[in-house]
Amino acid sequence: MHQHNLCPRKEPRLFGGFLVLKNLTTPSVSLQGFTMVQEKTDGKDVMLAPIQQNRPALSWEKKIGKKMKMVTPCLGRFRPVVGQCCHQCTPDSLQKEPGPTSPLGFKNLLSIEETQTRYRGWLVRRVCCLLFVSGCKIYANPVSNRLDRVCQSQRVKEALTAEHNAQEGRDGQGQLSRLSPLPPIVNTCISPGFLRFLSWVMLKMFSSVFGSIQVNLDHLRALHRASQEGSPLVYVHVRQCAADFALIPLVLFCHNLRVPYTVCPLHIKSSFIRSILQKVGVVLLPSSALTEQDAETDPLYSPVMTSLVRELLDESQAISVGVSAESGRGGRWLAHVTQLIKEGSVSDVSVVPVGISYDCVPETNTQIGVGSLFRWLWSLLWRSPDRSVRIHLAQPFSLKEMCDSGRCRVDDWLPLQDLLLPVIFNNRDCVFGQRRMSWLLPPPHYATESGEQTHRERDLSIAIILHLIHSAASCTAVMSTSLVSSLLLFRHRKGVRASALSRDVAWLTEELLFRNKDVGFGGSLEDVVRHSLSVLAPHLVITAAPSRTDPVIVPRPSPAASLHLSRYAQIVTHTFIPEAVGACAVSAMLCELVGSGLSSRVRSGGVDGEQVNGDMEFDVALCQSKLTERALQLCHLLPPGFMPPCQSACSFALDAVDSLVRCGILIMEEIPRDVPICDFWKKEGALTWTTSDDPYDSDSDCEAQEQDSRCYKISQPRQFPELLFFLCAMLAGHLRTLCWATSSLDLMHTPLPEAEFVALMHSHLCDTASRAKQHYESCSEEAAHMAVRSLIDLGVLSEERRRGGVSLSVGPLFQSSENRQKLQRFISQYLFN
C-alpha cells in the first residue's frame, strides 16, 4: 500500500451484480452501494440520493471543481458486506445466519412514496407519509401488573432488606412508596397511537435536519427471522448524540420490526415530555437524577432495573442500549442482561450491534426541557437539510453462546501495572496477558455475589461490553467528513492544496474498502470533496487567491476546530489501528537506535553542511521479536474498543507487524546462516520431544527458530515516510495526553475528589496545548478522563474510597519524580517527532 501508487482508473458500472470497468476521462468515485449506483432490493429499485448541493457554490468551491478535473478517479469496487458476527466467539450464530453473499443495498428512510402504501392517486402522494405510518405494524404490549412483579421479585426484596426499610409482611403498596420515584420508569409502555404520531413527527423533523437517512438492508431479513423465532432482541450502539436514541426505534418501526424499549440517559426536566416519552417505550432516568452516576448512587436503582429488564425480556420485548466508548456508561444495562442469562432467569437473547454514522453530528443538550425543545425546532426552519446519516444493523448473535462458549476468555486478564511496570522500571520482558479495565463496570453491581465468582462474572460482562463496542464501531461506515478530517489532522496539518487532497481522498477510500470497511458517501470525487469541505468549513481556513486555481485548505488553529476534526477522525483510526500500532512500534525502535548513537547509512548526491540532499537509505534491521514486543506494550495503552477481547494482545501485536509488511513499510529479510534452519542433523545438541496433546505446540521447532531469525528492513524514503508518519499520527493524540497528564502530577496537591481531580487535569491539558499553540485534540474532557483511568490502572494514582466518594492521590511508587520521568519516557518513545 503506497500512497501515490494509483494506477489509471476506469469508471465502474453495475452488470449482473459485478462492476464492469470502462474507460473514463473525468474523475468519479463510483462504488456499488454508493449514491450513483441503482440497486434492486426485493423487486424494487432503490436509488440512493446523491450528495445534495442545494445552495449556490462559493468561489473556492468553483475553483475546486476546475482543479479536480486533473485528478485520477477512484477504482470501482464492491461495497463490502459488514456487520457479520464474530466467527470466534459465536460460530454457531454465524453458521445459522451466514448473511448475504452480496450487498442488498440501502433504503432512504425519508424517501416515502405511494408505492409503500396500499393506496394510489394524486391525493395519496400528498399524504403518503401519514398513510405509511398508519400502515406500519406495531407489537403493542400494555403494562399488566409489571410493577407488582418487580416489587415482589427476590432481588428487590433483598435490596429493601439491606436498607433496613422493609418490614416483614409489607405488601406491594408499601414497597411502592419506598421505591418512588422508580415506579413511573417501571410502568413505561408502548402505546400504538402515540407511537404512530411520534413516528410521523420524527420523519418530518428529520427531513428538516438530514437530506437522507440510508439504512443498510443486508441483515434485515435475519432480524425478521430472529424476531419471529421469539428470541428477544437487544440493540447496542455507541453513543454519539441524542438523535441516536430516536433513529433506531424509527428505523425498526418503518421496517415492521418490534420497536424496542430505549434506554435514554438524558435528563428530561419537563414532566409533560417525560409522560409522552414513557408512552413510546423510552426508559428515562429518575426525575431526581441529573446523570447516570447520580441514579446509580441509589442502592435500589440497580436491582429494580435488573428486575425490569427481566420482565421486559420475559415479555419478548426488544431493548435498545447505548454505550459510551470512553467511559463505558450504559454497559451496566448489558451487565443486567448477562447476569440474567447466567442465573437462568432468561434463556437467551439475540444481540444486534448498530453502527450509526453522521457526516455532521447534530448538537444536542443533555438536559431537555420544553423551552430548549422549541428553540431547537425553531432553528430547524433556518437550516438546509444537506446532511446525511448511514445506519448499519449488524447480524444478530446469541448472547448465551458468547457467555457459555468460553471463547471470550478472561483468565489472562491482569492489572495494567502488572503488565507494564516491570518493563518500565526493570527492563524486563513484557508480561503476556490482557489489560483488565474494571472501571468499565463498577463493583457494587455484583456486591452480593461471592468473591471468586463475582470477579469472573464481572470480567466476563466487561469483555462483552468491550466486544460490543468494537462490533458497533466495526460496522459503522466512514463518512466523507471523517475521511477528510483524518487527512487534514494526521497528514496535512500545515495545509494542503485541493488537488493533493482529492488524490489522498481517492487513495484513502480504496484503503478503507480494501479493509472491508464501508463508506457512507458517493458521487463524483469533486462532489465528495466539495461536500466535505462545506460541512467542515467553520473549522477550516480555505484560501483561494484570484491568480490561482488550486485553493489551499488549512485546519483552523483553535481548540474547537481540532476537537471537532479529531472526533470525526476516530472511526478512521479504528480502521487502521493495527497499522497505527505497528507504525508506532517502528518509531519507538528507531528512537532507540538514534538514542544509542547508531546512525543510518546515507547515500546522497551531495552534502552541504548538515543538510543532506538526495535519498537516505536506512540500513537497519529490526528484529521481529523486539518489534512485536514493542507493539504488545503499546496494545496495553489503547483505549477500550479498539481491540476485540476475544483476540489476545500478543496475536494483535503480531497482526500489527504483519500489516506493515502488507503496507510496504517493512520488507522481510532473513539472516543468512551457514547451516539451514531445518537441518536437524547438523544442529547442536540432542533433539527434544514434546507431547502432542498441546494444541498450541508446533509439530517441529522449525517455525519457532524461523520466527527468532526473522527481521525486517524499512522501505526506502520515497515509498514509506509519509504513510508511516500518517499512521503514527493516529495514536499521537492519545499518547500525548498520557505524557502531559504524567507531567501535570507535579502541579497536583493530592488527595483530591475524583471529579475535581479530572477537572484540574483537563485544565492542565488545555493550558499545555495553549502554550504549545497546537495539539488541541489532546485536551478534550474525554481524553482527560481516559488519561486519569490509565494512570489509576498503572498505579500512578491510588484510589481511596471515602464516605463522600472516591479520592485520588499519587501512589507511593510514583512519589519520586525520577519514576514519573521513566514513565513519561516510556510513553513518549511511541510519539513520532
Side-chain angles (χ1 to χ4, degrees):
M1 180 185 65
H2 303 308
Q3 178 192 358
H4 297 298
N5 187 17
L6 297 176
C7 57
R9 311 301 188 202
K10 299 178 180 180
E11 181 186 23
R13 60 187 178 91
L14 191 62
F15 180 76
F18 294 91
L19 289 177
V20 182
L21 303 179
K22 65 179 182 179
N23 293 329
L24 178 69
T25 57
T26 57
S28 176
V29 181
S30 298
L31 301 168
Q32 183 182 358
F34 271 25
T35 58
M36 292 177 59
V37 179
Q38 187 174 4
E39 300 175 348
K40 280 195 173 183
T41 305
D42 297 333
K44 297 182 181 180
D45 292 340
V46 179
M47 177 67 76
L48 302 181
I51 293 177
Q52 299 184 8
Q53 300 288 341
N54 297 328
R55 51 177 181 75
L58 301 177
S59 59
W60 58 267
E61 292 179 313
K62 296 179 180 178
K63 293 179 182 292
I64 289 178
K66 293 178 182 179
K67 192 65 181 178
M68 286 217 182
K69 296 302 180 182
M70 301 175 59
V71 178
T72 308
C74 183
L75 277 177
R77 295 180 184 270
F78 274 112
R79 181 180 59 80
V81 177
V82 299
Q84 294 180 330
C85 57
C86 181
H87 68 279
Q88 180 173 342
C89 298
T90 54
D92 296 338
S93 299
L94 183 62
Q95 185 178 6
K96 182 180 179 181
E97 295 287 349
T101 56
S102 60
L104 299 180
F106 290 84
K107 178 181 178 182
N108 185 6
L109 200 66
L110 302 179
S111 179
I112 299 178
E113 301 175 351
E114 61 175 332
T115 56
Q116 298 175 253
T117 66
R118 296 179 296 172
Y119 310 97
R120 299 294 183 270
W122 65 271
L123 182 59
V124 174
R125 288 191 289 271
R126 283 155 179 80
V127 294
C128 59
C129 182
L130 185 61
L131 294 176
F132 170 76
V133 169
S134 63
C136 290
K137 185 177 180 180
I138 294 181
Y139 302 82
N141 190 6
V143 178
S144 177
N145 299 326
R146 184 190 297 164
L147 181 60
D148 293 339
R149 294 196 300 271
V150 169
C151 293
Q152 295 297 332
S153 64
Q154 187 66 25
R155 183 176 287 103
V156 175
K157 287 183 178 180
E158 290 178 357
L160 289 170
T161 304
E163 288 292 304
H164 303 286
N165 290 322
Q167 299 177 2
E168 186 177 358
R170 200 170 195 177
D171 57 1
Q173 295 298 325
Q175 292 183 3
L176 179 62
S177 62
R178 175 66 187 91
L179 295 175
S180 178
L182 298 178
I185 302 177
V186 178
N187 286 326
T188 300
C189 63
I190 295 179
S191 172
F194 275 97
L195 182 59
R196 293 188 192 277
F197 173 74
L198 281 186
S199 299
W200 176 78
V201 170
M202 284 191 294
L203 285 173
K204 292 298 182 181
M205 181 182 64
F206 283 138
S207 63
S208 301
V209 181
F210 305 111
S212 65
I213 300 178
Q214 304 289 345
V215 182
N216 193 340
L217 305 177
D218 289 347
H219 300 293
L220 280 179
R221 293 179 182 176
L223 293 180
H224 280 285
R225 284 194 292 268
S227 180
Q228 293 172 359
E229 291 174 358
S231 178
L233 296 176
V234 177
Y235 300 90
V236 182
H237 66 277
V238 177
R239 295 178 184 176
Q240 299 180 69
C241 64
D244 301 342
F245 306 102
L247 283 173
I248 294 178
L250 182 62
V251 168
L252 299 176
F253 172 79
C254 293
H255 289 88
N256 294 319
L257 286 164
R258 185 183 292 273
V259 176
Y261 280 75
T262 304
V263 178
C264 182
L266 301 178
H267 177 64
I268 310 295
K269 296 182 290 186
S270 172
S271 59
F272 173 72
I273 298 178
R274 291 179 65 92
S275 62
I276 293 179
L277 294 179
Q278 287 173 348
K279 285 181 169 53
V280 292
V282 180
V283 180
L284 300 171
L285 293 175
S287 57
S288 58
L290 296 178
T291 62
E292 290 175 285
Q293 297 92 318
D294 296 338
E296 291 169 0
T297 56
D298 186 354
L300 296 179
Y301 180 77
S302 181
V304 170
M305 293 302 106
T306 304
S307 301
L308 174 61
V309 170
R310 176 184 176 179
E311 294 299 328
L312 292 177
L313 296 179
D314 286 342
E315 298 170 5
S316 297
Q317 297 292 335
I319 302 176
S320 177
V321 179
V323 183
S324 173
E326 292 82 13
S327 62
R329 289 294 172 185
R332 186 175 294 276
W333 291 89
L334 299 176
H336 294 328
V337 179
T338 305
Q339 184 182 7
L340 293 173
I341 290 179
K342 299 295 291 185
E343 293 175 354
S345 302
V346 177
S347 59
D348 194 9
V349 298
S350 296
V351 182
V352 184
V354 182
I356 305 177
S357 306
Y358 302 90
D359 61 358
C360 184
V361 180
E363 296 292 337
T364 53
N365 192 0
T366 56
Q367 297 185 6
I368 300 176
V370 178
S372 60
L373 179 62
F374 276 106
R375 285 193 299 269
W376 182 72
L377 293 175
W378 176 258
S379 65
L380 298 181
L381 301 176
W382 314 102
R383 182 179 301 175
S384 176
D386 57 349
R387 309 295 186 251
S388 60
V389 184
R390 182 68 63 95
I391 300 176
H392 287 267
L393 296 167
Q395 180 182 2
F397 65 88
S398 169
L399 184 60
K400 182 176 178 59
E401 180 187 2
M402 177 174 284
C403 294
D404 297 343
S405 63
R407 295 182 176 92
C408 196
R409 301 179 60 183
V410 295
D411 299 335
D412 58 345
W413 281 21
L414 296 172
L416 184 59
Q417 54 184 333
D418 294 347
L419 295 171
L420 290 183
L421 290 189
V423 180
I424 297 173
F425 294 125
N426 301 325
N427 294 323
R428 291 168 50 189
D429 293 337
C430 187
V431 179
F432 293 98
Q434 298 282 100
R435 174 185 175 183
R436 177 179 288 120
M437 298 184 183
S438 57
W439 46 270
L440 285 173
L441 191 63
H445 182 64
Y446 293 103
T448 59
E449 305 287 343
S450 60
E452 184 177 355
Q453 183 182 7
T454 299
H455 192 71
R456 178 173 177 80
E457 288 191 0
R458 183 183 172 201
D459 286 347
L460 180 61
S461 297
I462 293 174
I464 292 175
I465 295 171
L466 290 172
H467 204 301
L468 289 173
I469 292 176
H470 181 269
S471 300
S474 299
C475 67
T476 301
V478 178
M479 307 300 282
S480 59
T481 49
S482 298
L483 192 145
V484 173
S485 297
S486 64
L487 289 172
L488 293 175
L489 192 64
F490 301 145
R491 180 165 183 182
H492 301 297
R493 186 179 289 270
K494 295 183 178 180
V496 60
R497 296 192 180 278
S499 57
L501 179 62
S502 60
R503 282 193 296 267
D504 289 343
V505 167
W507 160 74
L508 191 54
T509 301
E510 288 189 358
E511 296 299 333
L512 290 169
L513 295 172
F514 176 74
R515 286 161 177 78
N516 202 38
K517 190 71 173 180
D518 196 11
V519 292
F521 55 87
S524 67
L525 184 60
E526 174 186 341
D527 292 337
V528 169
V529 177
R530 182 190 290 116
H531 172 76
S532 303
L533 294 179
S534 65
V535 174
L536 299 174
H539 309 285
L540 304 176
V541 177
I542 304 176
T543 60
S547 60
R548 296 186 178 181
T549 59
D550 198 0
V552 177
I553 300 100
V554 183
R556 192 176 295 275
S558 66
S562 297
L563 293 175
H564 190 85
L565 296 178
S566 176
R567 182 180 183 183
Y568 286 121
Q570 284 182 357
I571 187 63
V572 179
T573 303
H574 187 278
T575 307
F576 286 90
I577 191 62
E579 292 86 351
V581 170
C584 290
V586 171
S587 175
M589 292 198 69
L590 292 179
C591 290
E592 182 181 3
L593 291 175
V594 173
S596 62
L598 297 178
S599 59
S600 60
R601 180 164 57 90
V602 178
R603 181 189 64 203
S604 61
V607 178
D608 183 12
E610 296 181 355
Q611 183 179 2
V612 178
N613 301 321
D615 253 355
M616 180 180 295
E617 181 179 347
F618 288 86
D619 192 10
V620 176
L622 304 178
C623 178
Q624 185 196 33
S625 59
K626 295 295 183 181
L627 190 59
T628 305
E629 186 176 347
R630 293 298 178 90
L632 177 61
Q633 296 167 9
L634 180 57
C635 289
H636 300 316
L637 294 176
L638 292 178
F642 279 94
M643 189 174 64
C646 57
Q647 183 180 14
S648 66
C650 184
S651 174
F652 187 86
L654 289 171
D655 291 345
V657 176
D658 291 341
S659 65
L660 296 185
V661 179
R662 293 191 297 267
C663 291
I665 294 178
L666 296 180
I667 301 175
M668 188 177 298
E669 184 179 78
E670 292 185 3
I671 300 177
R673 290 175 175 265
D674 297 334
V675 179
I677 295 178
C678 291
D679 194 347
F680 294 104
W681 295 109
K682 297 182 180 181
K683 182 180 174 183
E684 296 181 1
L687 294 176
T688 57
W689 299 90
T690 58
T691 59
S692 59
D693 57 349
D694 189 355
Y696 298 99
D697 257 355
S698 177
D699 293 337
S700 69
D701 56 355
C702 175
E703 182 180 354
Q705 293 186 42
E706 184 180 359
Q707 294 282 346
D708 293 338
S709 64
R710 186 178 298 172
C711 63
Y712 300 97
K713 291 189 68 175
I714 301 177
S715 301
Q716 299 309 307
R718 284 185 177 178
Q719 299 175 352
F720 91 92
E722 294 184 356
L723 177 59
L724 180 66
F725 305 156
F726 174 69
L727 296 173
C728 289
M730 291 183 175
L731 292 176
H734 173 66
L735 297 173
R736 190 178 294 109
T737 302
L738 292 177
C739 289
W740 288 356
T742 305
S743 63
S744 70
L745 297 179
D746 298 333
L747 308 176
M748 297 284 188
H749 300 285
T750 56
L752 290 172
E754 184 177 9
E756 185 178 350
F757 190 95
V758 174
L760 286 177
M761 180 69 71
H762 179 229
S763 177
H764 172 78
L765 295 177
C766 294
D767 294 341
T768 306
S770 298
R771 289 194 299 268
K773 296 183 179 180
Q774 58 180 346
H775 305 312
Y776 295 105
E777 66 275 6
S778 299
C779 62
S780 65
E781 294 183 8
E782 294 80 6
H785 176 81
M786 190 63 61
V788 171
R789 294 312 317 178
S790 298
L791 293 180
I792 293 174
D793 291 347
L794 278 169
V796 181
L797 299 176
S798 60
E799 292 180 301
E800 182 180 354
R801 298 191 175 274
R802 299 181 178 180
R803 188 169 186 178
V806 178
S807 296
L808 298 179
S809 60
V810 179
L813 184 61
F814 290 90
Q815 294 285 350
S816 170
S817 60
E818 181 182 357
N819 289 341
R820 294 198 296 268
Q821 290 175 2
K822 288 182 179 180
L823 174 61
Q824 192 170 356
R825 284 195 299 269
F826 172 79
I827 299 173
S828 61
Q829 68 176 332
Y830 296 103
L831 274 172
F832 178 79
N833 188 358

